[in-house]
Amino acid sequence: MTGTVDTDLHPGVDVVCLGESMVTFLPSLPGRLADVPSFARTIGGAESNVACALAAAGHTVTWVSRVGADGFGDHLVDAIAAYGVDTSGVRRDPDRPTGIYFRTATDRATDAHEVAYYRAGSAASAMAPGSLSYDDLWAGRVLHVSGITAALSDDCLALMRELTTRAPGRPLLSFDVNHRPGLWRDGSGARVLLELARGADLVFVGEDEAAEAWGLHGGDAIRAALPEPATLVVKRGSAGATVYERGAAGTGATVDGGASGGVGSGPDGGADTVTSVPALRVDVVAPVGAGDAFAAGFLSATLRGLPAAARLRHGHLMAAATLTVPGDLGAPPSRADADRLVDLDDAAWGTLRLGPGWTAATEQEVRTP
């Protein structure tokens, strides 16, 4: 399996996303959960966020999961389907509830951030090998999963180990590490996530989470620990993102549009093409969901066969769409507008600043200082 998308094996669906989605309660005011007077109901889940963003960007997407046979499950399925996502692969569980969670308005990275999960024993935690149809899971050109699923239960971990075992006919497997230490009560998360990532074809990981989970600092160290995936995307926060690609010589070593390229040591003595693109300046409303949006933008550009620098820029733009709204999901720019911004020269990309409402702006309204 390489880092490219096989259009012959899986011609019908672009992406299948597997994972738990929960009903999310967003605070009406900043402050401690104990002090927040009311919450607004929305939806949240790493994989379903990616599914919704891709569908909103015009791709055919299926979300596969389990929800309870309850009102929250109804809401999740209806809300995700409203984005244009196919939810026919979602199973209803009459014995287990749909997961929910509450969070504060502060950045997840700060000590003031609080999240209260009510997901133990949820319907999604009962996902297991044999409980889901491979006709559903392998129906797309890409199967996107995250490390969160592996933390839900022993059965979910067994399923993830099965999916990250390379097998003939498997679609391109996209894996977002999504290290959530609080979900791994036995402390095994770091080791397990590294193991799962090695079985993927495309891996997304934040530089900060790699340092926290694995004690690795910098993209080169992360690549050395993860030589197996054909494509490794290292997200560097406000500094930007870097993609390491095996067998991509000539496609990203010389790039423009804000990118820097080079050739490094590959996992088996071959050459990696290394491409970096700086992040955009964004007036952040809420940071939650930006990583999922980045993955969606990168996957969207991958499905279109775009070069490395363009894939990274599309990731940054999709992340900016989510960073400038209160919830986990932001309306992406139109494909034409996104492509126009991706094609900016280095100087224009470097001075671009995006704020709330930018995705609805016309060409004249998105300005550089």
Side-chain angles (χ1 to χ4, degrees):
M1 177 68 68
T2 68
T4 59
V5 177
D6 192 326
T7 57
D8 295 325
L9 285 176
H10 308 279
V13 177
D14 288 333
V15 182
V16 174
C17 296
L18 166 73
E20 180 175 38
S21 189
M22 294 177 290
V23 174
T24 308
F25 291 92
L26 303 179
S28 57
L29 295 172
R32 302 184 310 153
L33 286 178
D35 300 327
V36 174
S38 60
F39 296 82
R41 184 185 67 175
T42 182
I43 62 173
E47 302 84 3
S48 61
N49 286 346
V50 172
C52 291
L54 283 167
H59 296 282
T60 54
V61 188
T62 297
W63 173 52
V64 177
S65 189
R66 292 173 68 93
V67 300
D70 51 31
F72 285 145
D74 293 341
H75 175 64
L76 275 178
V77 172
D78 291 346
I80 292 170
Y83 280 86
V85 176
D86 176 9
T87 58
S88 62
V90 179
R91 302 292 178 255
R92 307 303 291 264
D93 190 323
D95 301 317
R96 299 175 179 86
T98 303
I100 64 173
Y101 79 100
F102 298 78
R103 67 172 173 86
T104 54
T106 49
D107 187 339
R108 179 185 285 134
T110 70
D111 292 338
H113 183 70
E114 296 176 73
V115 178
Y117 287 110
Y118 298 91
R119 74 197 307 179
S122 69
S125 70
M127 293 188 295
S131 70
L132 300 172
S133 167
Y134 269 67
D135 289 340
D136 292 333
L137 295 175
W138 284 18
R141 297 162 61 191
V142 175
L143 172 60
H144 179 74
V145 296
S146 93
I148 294 173
T149 300
L152 299 181
S153 68
D154 289 342
D155 283 341
C156 283
L157 175 54
L159 173 64
M160 288 294 293
R161 282 181 166 142
E162 185 174 277
L163 293 176
T164 54
T165 299
R166 290 184 171 82
R170 188 184 77 173
L172 184 144
L173 184 70
S174 167
F175 179 75
D176 194 336
V177 171
N178 261 325
H179 181 230
R180 301 286 185 268
L183 296 178
W184 296 91
R185 298 191 182 279
D186 63 358
S188 66
R191 173 184 56 79
V192 170
L193 293 174
L194 188 62
E195 168 197 328
L196 296 175
R198 285 173 171 155
D201 305 303
L202 164 60
V203 171
F204 297 96
V205 63
E207 204 170 41
D208 55 347
E209 66 182 340
E212 179 184 32
W214 305 322
L216 300 173
H217 300 278
D220 291 349
I222 298 169
R223 182 50 158 169
L226 275 173
E228 296 87 355
T231 304
L232 171 67
V233 180
V234 178
K235 298 172 291 182
R236 298 181 291 119
S238 60
T242 299
V243 59
Y244 295 77
E245 291 191 286
R246 184 168 69 250
T251 64
T254 304
V255 290
D256 53 17
S260 62
V263 178
S265 176
D268 52 6
D272 261 348
T273 298
V274 184
T275 306
S276 295
V277 169
L280 292 160
R281 293 190 296 167
V282 179
D283 297 329
V284 177
V285 173
V288 179
D292 305 329
F294 181 93
F298 189 93
L299 286 171
S300 175
T302 298
L303 288 160
R304 296 171 61 197
L306 300 184
R311 281 177 273 152
L312 291 172
R313 282 194 171 192
H314 275 284
H316 287 316
L317 287 169
M318 196 78 86
T322 291
L323 287 167
T324 49
V325 298
D328 287 16
L329 292 164
S334 70
R335 183 169 291 184
D337 279 345
D339 285 344
R340 177 178 56 81
L341 294 174
V342 164
D343 287 341
L344 291 173
D345 62 25
D346 293 5
W349 177 266
T351 56
L352 191 64
R353 183 166 191 156
L354 303 176
W358 75 270
T359 60
T362 64
E363 181 174 342
Q364 289 73 32
E365 291 170 329
V366 177
R367 300 180 181 274
T368 57

